[in-house]
Amino acid sequence: MSNDQSAISPSPRENAVITGAASGIGAAVARRFRERGANVFLLDRDMPSLHRSFGNADDSKAKLFEADVSDTAQIKDIFAEIERCHGGVDSVVHCAGVARLGTVIEMDEATFDFVLKVNLKGTFLLAKHAMPSLLARKGSFTAIASDAGTQGASGYAAYCASKHGVVGLVKSLALDHGPSGVRCNAICPGFVETPMLEQLFGDNPTDRAFYEKSVPLGRFARPEDVAELAAFISSPAGAYLNGAIVALDGGSTAGYFSTAVLSR
Ligand code: NAP
């Protein structure tokens, strides 16, 4: 399941688990945590991409795991292996997720179940199997939710439901485990320039331009914007952040916004 385990030895260095690390936000988070000297344990179901980005044999601070975040046995085994071989986990940044378009009329039940299973149950499994280690090391759990976790999103019934679930779960984690020293938070990005966004807009530049113009800061986020916030939250600088649901959307969810009003 993983590459050579002998390369990372137990050390006072931060051990960080990052899911969805083969692409987009997860890959940027992985790069950011490596920059700050963490041992990174990178999970994704897309192993070829994970290897292309992080499979350098000389890189002794990155371990790659092929895993589906909604698979109980795989997630349990990975945390057991990290505990056994590397002493435990200090930070989790859970980025893996899927988006599927559709209203409840358009979407079939299997697609709804799939989105909920990956996005919500996946977050539950990550939190469940990371928590013993996070409790022992007073660590940090950060989930990448979405602005669709705090407001509705037309045409995204299942995605929106799953991300509201993630936000609720993270708030409960913060209450349940904050008293024992584990901080649990969620980041709610608006649109971020990743393959997921490319998939959403496809070859429709008109839609893209419309949504980009509706962001008060005038641009979509870059994966690095999200990575920087995730790094901050899990660092000592974020030591008083717990149960925070942080909007990272250029002001999109701050209220009604219209460039037409500004240009009057
Ligand atoms: P992305 O570029 O599609 O990357 C997501 C990665 O997670 C992909 O490598 C994907 O593999 C992997 N993944 C998906 N399901 C998985 C599973 N069951 N187990 C393991 N890995 C899995 O997406 P992104 O834009 O970086 O999104 C990261 C997170 O941010 C998601 O939770 C997303 O909902 C959230 N988010 C994104 C945006 C945005 O505009 N991009 C906005 C708000 C929130 P595959 O390629 O094989 O699916």
Side-chain angles (χ1 to χ4, degrees):
M1 185 185 291
S2 65
N3 58 2
D4 173 26
Q5 289 300 318
S6 59
I8 292 182
S9 54
S11 76
R13 205 184 270 151
E14 174 187 18
N15 285 342
V17 169
I18 297 146
T19 71
S23 176
I25 294 169
V29 172
R31 288 192 296 271
R32 183 66 186 83
F33 273 70
R34 279 193 341 160
E35 266 167 37
R36 83 171 181 201
N39 295 320
V40 291
F41 299 85
L42 308 180
L43 276 66
D44 206 288
R45 66 181 174 192
D46 181 354
M47 201 57 172
S49 295
L50 201 53
H51 261 292
R52 268 195 301 280
S53 303
F54 298 101
N56 180 349
D58 295 335
D59 188 349
S60 61
K61 290 196 284 175
K63 293 289 153 222
L64 315 186
F65 294 91
E66 180 172 12
D68 178 341
V69 294
S70 64
D71 184 309
T72 306
Q74 289 182 9
I75 298 307
K76 195 174 168 189
D77 286 355
I78 286 171
F79 280 101
E81 182 175 331
I82 298 173
E83 189 75 34
R84 197 174 57 250
C85 302
H86 309 290
V89 175
D90 303 288
S91 309
V92 175
V93 185
H94 175 42
C95 309
V98 291
R100 294 290 182 273
L101 257 175
T103 65
V104 294
I105 303 284
E106 296 154 353
M107 179 171 284
D108 59 35
E109 203 176 321
T111 305
F112 183 84
D113 285 347
F114 171 71
V115 173
L116 268 287
K117 189 173 175 200
V118 173
N119 291 356
L120 183 52
K121 185 180 168 190
T123 307
F124 164 78
L125 289 177
L126 261 289
K128 181 174 177 60
H129 295 294
M131 200 53 73
S133 194
L134 294 176
L135 284 165
R137 295 162 76 112
K138 302 211 179 306
S140 157
F141 182 91
T142 306
I144 308 302
S146 170
D147 57 358
T150 57
Q151 60 178 14
S154 53
Y156 274 96
Y159 183 74
C160 201
S162 71
K163 293 296 186 175
H164 273 71
V166 170
V167 165
L169 177 58
V170 165
K171 287 180 177 175
S172 290
L173 292 173
L175 300 176
D176 288 341
H177 306 295
S180 307
V182 179
R183 298 182 301 103
C184 299
N185 297 285
I187 297 175
C188 292
F191 292 114
V192 188
E193 302 273 10
T194 70
M196 185 183 276
L197 195 69
E198 295 307 315
Q199 203 186 347
L200 169 66
F201 290 127
D203 50 9
N204 191 337
T206 315
D207 261 13
R208 192 194 154 90
F210 170 80
Y211 282 110
E212 197 153 24
K213 216 174 148 191
S214 73
V215 181
L217 288 187
R219 67 165 176 90
F220 293 151
R222 300 178 192 104
E224 290 72 23
D225 294 319
V226 187
E228 201 56 47
L229 180 57
F232 174 84
I233 287 174
S234 60
S235 76
Y240 200 59
L241 277 171
N242 186 39
I245 308 302
V246 187
L248 187 75
D249 58 13
S252 300
T253 57
Y256 296 112
F257 174 70
S258 164
T259 48
V261 174
L262 288 177
S263 59
R264 251 191 237 152

